[in-house]
Amino acid sequence: MYSAIDVAKYIIWYSKKKGYAISNLKLQKILYFVQAAFLVDCGKECFADSIEAWDFGPVVPCVYRYFKIFGSSDIPKSVGIDAEEVIMRSDRKIINEMVDQCAEYSASALVEITHNQDPWKNVYQKGYNNVITPKAIKAYFEEE
């Protein structure tokens, strides 16, 4: 299992390599979908850090804080230097596929998608950062 920061750095590195723009908001949604893919395809979490239901959808708080200096701007590739070395090749494939799928959507479209999914909808309360459990994510995506 990886740290969410390491996975985020890899997502940024891969996105930039492919020419995709990636903001902190979009990164948060991709992390959520990556976690879902690992839970369903591998039966394990990609990272142990919690995902919370915030106003703009699922957020990994430690990753949000780490990259918030970029605001809503595109995060530069330089933050992902050496990220590829940390992630195992088999895991990179799963992450890459999810990044490629999410790349065709804007950050706001990904927010809209997650707002219509049970893991976020069932725990979101304005003003509270309730945890979206891996169990809830897995159960939802196994049904899809």
Side-chain angles (χ1 to χ4, degrees):
M1 193 175 326
Y2 307 102
S3 76
I5 299 284
D6 285 341
V7 176
K9 286 179 177 181
Y10 177 77
I11 289 169
I12 293 161
W13 176 86
Y14 178 77
S15 295
K16 297 317 226 169
K17 177 182 163 193
K18 296 286 284 199
Y20 306 146
I22 185 152
S23 64
N24 198 353
L25 182 61
K26 190 166 190 174
L27 175 63
Q28 297 299 324
K29 306 316 153 243
I30 294 172
L31 282 167
Y32 165 76
F33 288 119
V34 164
Q35 186 77 305
F38 271 77
L39 289 165
V40 172
D41 298 343
C42 305
K44 65 178 184 172
E45 296 174 54
C46 179
F47 53 88
D49 304 272
S50 65
I51 299 175
E52 297 179 355
W54 288 18
D55 291 345
F56 290 99
V59 171
V60 180
C62 65
V63 174
Y64 171 79
R65 288 189 295 273
Y66 192 90
F67 292 106
K68 74 179 183 179
I69 60 167
F70 298 106
S72 60
S73 300
D74 200 29
I75 301 171
K77 184 178 184 177
S78 60
V79 302
I81 297 294
D82 299 327
E84 186 179 28
E85 297 167 15
V86 177
I87 309 295
M88 290 183 355
R89 177 164 283 146
S90 58
D91 294 339
R92 281 186 242 150
K93 185 177 187 299
I94 297 167
I95 296 168
N96 294 353
E97 288 173 1
M98 193 51 61
V99 173
D100 290 339
Q101 286 180 36
C102 291
E104 62 189 73
Y105 297 97
S106 67
S108 57
L110 292 171
V111 168
E112 185 69 28
I113 290 166
T114 60
H115 277 196
N116 287 298
Q117 295 178 336
D118 288 346
W120 182 86
K121 285 193 318 188
N122 291 344
V123 299
Y124 175 73
Q125 292 178 283
K126 189 160 184 61
Y128 295 88
N129 296 334
N130 295 323
V131 172
I132 301 172
T133 66
K135 182 179 176 182
I137 294 169
K138 185 176 186 199
Y140 177 78
F141 284 96
E142 281 181 334
E143 291 176 10
E144 288 300 300

